[in-house]
Amino acid sequence: MIYREAGDFKTSYSADQQTFPIGFDRWTVRVVVIFAFLVVPFLINDYWEKSILLPFLIWSLAALGLNILTGYCGQLSLGTGGFMAVGAYACYKLTTMFPEVNILFVVLLAGVVTALVGILFGLPSLRIKGFYLAVATLAAQFFLVWLFNKVPWFYNYSASGQINMPEREVLGFIVSGANAEPWATYLFTLLFVLVFAVIARNLTRGRLGRSWMAIRDMDIAAEIIGVPPLQAKLSAFAISSFYIGLAGALFFGVYLGAVEPTEAFGIDKSFLVLFMIIIGGLGSIAGSFIGAAFMVLLPVLFKNIMVGDFGWPTDTVQHFIFMLVGGLIMFFLIVEPHGLAQLWRITKEKLRLWPFPH
């Protein structure tokens, strides 16, 4: 069989605790990464860029951020859309105020600004939790969207209230604006997602990640054994908001190029990311990618089949997708709360033991 540990010997603690301890997994990941960087850029076109690859990468980054907060630290948030708006508007203001700064650093700074805002709105988590914290973050969602709509300084006093991303380059290649090539925007976004996925994986396996999980499982017991709730919760809000801010900056600057906050960062975006981590798997880095792929590819698949092949009305297909996603969320909450990532883990364990009983 192809999925076996035969020949995988560990001679140190670090080797035993590596992210992919089985050689088959390591080589699979390497092949996928090499293919994504060296092959896909030569095959990509406008349709694959705008409809599949960029949405998948950007929403995966946003799902990573929310999973850190909700899946690992247990702090329910419904303000993801608002924090993405912070990242987008921070990217816009930094780009227009400092045009000489490379867009790579602008996106990172937009994430830092979002992290600071996340800490501010994370302060209520020190006193409230559960449903009440969800309501507090929902209030942040509405407040932030209202703020960007009503304060003209954020959109540079534009008559339309819309913000537009100027053209910017990285290493001489245009990555934002109308003239950006699909392969350039794809590689720029992929670089961010890959680097910060690795960082997130290491964070969740370290001391900080263990403190988040202790707070998630039982905050009172965690405090008794020495885990500071202030540091754990605020760090989760800060890092989660940083990731979501990066996603918002890329969503505006690289993907859309022009946004209006009510349309681009409404409450539906907050629920969309929440559905991704529920279906993909709470407390799982891989689950963030699986959930994002599911929520991005499923509508594209159904629209191509039902609208293109069967001629169904677009609005009918959209409502069908809503019902299907709602049913799947209820199914996973009841049958498998850890989502598709847990099903994949179970499948791998069965492959490792087959044909022996288990």
Side-chain angles (χ1 to χ4, degrees):
M1 297 296 293
I2 60 172
Y3 200 78
R4 283 291 184 269
E5 296 180 65
D8 286 337
F9 300 103
K10 310 296 187 301
T11 58
S12 65
Y13 178 79
S14 59
D16 188 57
Q17 293 298 312
Q18 59 189 326
T19 301
F20 301 105
I22 300 178
F24 182 85
D25 287 339
R26 290 196 299 273
W27 281 105
T28 301
V29 171
R30 288 168 185 166
V31 169
V32 170
V33 171
I34 291 172
F35 182 83
F37 273 100
L38 300 182
V39 179
V40 173
F42 294 99
L43 305 176
I44 193 173
N45 55 31
D46 288 336
Y47 175 77
W48 278 86
E49 177 212 16
K50 296 298 184 185
S51 299
I52 297 176
L53 294 176
L54 284 190
F56 164 66
L57 292 172
I58 292 170
W59 289 118
S60 296
L61 193 59
L64 270 176
L66 185 60
N67 222 338
I68 288 173
L69 182 64
T70 302
Y72 284 97
C73 196
Q75 308 301 301
L76 183 59
S77 172
L78 296 177
T80 307
F83 293 125
M84 287 184 69
V86 174
Y89 275 80
C91 178
Y92 173 69
K93 292 299 294 184
L94 290 168
T95 305
T96 54
M97 293 173 66
F98 307 101
E100 70 281 356
V101 178
N102 192 293
I103 187 175
L104 186 70
F105 300 107
V106 168
V107 173
L108 292 173
L109 289 173
V112 173
V113 172
T114 313
L116 296 175
V117 176
I119 292 174
L120 178 64
F121 284 102
L123 290 174
S125 68
L126 304 177
R127 292 289 183 180
I128 58 178
K129 59 183 177 180
F131 172 77
Y132 299 100
L133 180 60
V135 172
T137 56
L138 184 62
Q141 161 74 37
F142 289 119
F143 171 76
L144 289 170
V145 172
W146 171 87
L147 183 68
F148 295 130
N149 261 323
K150 296 300 181 182
V151 180
W153 180 82
F154 287 110
Y155 50 83
N156 285 354
Y157 304 93
S158 169
S160 64
Q162 180 177 279
I163 58 175
N164 296 276
M165 183 67 184
E167 191 174 282
R168 290 293 182 269
E169 297 180 354
V170 174
L171 300 176
F173 299 103
I174 302 173
V175 297
S176 66
N179 297 319
E181 292 289 339
W183 66 268
T185 58
Y186 162 74
L187 284 178
F188 183 73
T189 307
L190 178 63
L191 180 64
F192 271 99
V193 174
L194 180 63
V195 169
F196 285 99
V198 173
I199 293 174
R201 176 62 176 169
N202 284 279
L203 281 175
T204 54
R205 285 158 51 90
R207 180 185 60 82
L208 190 58
R210 291 194 293 271
S211 68
W212 291 340
M213 289 182 276
I215 292 291
R216 175 196 64 190
D217 294 338
M218 188 175 292
D219 53 353
I220 296 177
E223 186 175 5
I224 291 173
I225 63 174
V227 177
L230 173 66
Q231 177 184 338
K233 291 182 179 181
L234 291 188
S235 64
F237 266 96
I239 296 174
S240 168
S241 300
F242 177 80
Y243 274 71
I244 295 171
L246 291 179
L250 294 170
F251 187 69
F252 156 66
V254 178
Y255 177 50
L256 294 180
V259 300
E260 192 274 329
T262 305
E263 296 295 329
F265 303 109
I267 185 63
D268 58 314
K269 298 300 189 295
S270 298
F271 284 109
L272 175 64
V273 182
L274 182 62
F275 296 159
M276 288 177 184
I277 65 172
I278 290 175
I279 292 176
L282 289 167
S284 168
I285 300 298
S288 303
F289 288 93
I290 296 172
F294 189 91
M295 295 298 293
V296 169
L297 299 181
L298 186 70
V300 174
L301 177 65
F302 275 93
K303 286 177 183 177
N304 285 335
I305 294 175
M306 294 183 174
V307 177
D309 297 339
F310 295 101
W312 285 25
T314 304
D315 55 345
T316 303
V317 176
Q318 193 65 36
H319 285 98
F320 177 78
I321 293 171
F322 287 154
M323 291 189 295
L324 179 62
V325 171
L328 287 171
I329 290 171
M330 290 188 290
F331 171 79
F332 281 112
L333 287 175
I334 296 171
V335 177
E336 184 49 77
H338 295 290
L340 291 170
Q342 178 64 15
L343 296 179
W344 174 236
R345 282 193 290 266
I346 293 172
T347 302
K348 289 200 299 182
E349 288 300 319
K350 289 182 177 180
L351 285 173
R352 291 167 70 182
L353 295 174
W354 190 88
F356 301 104
H358 48 275

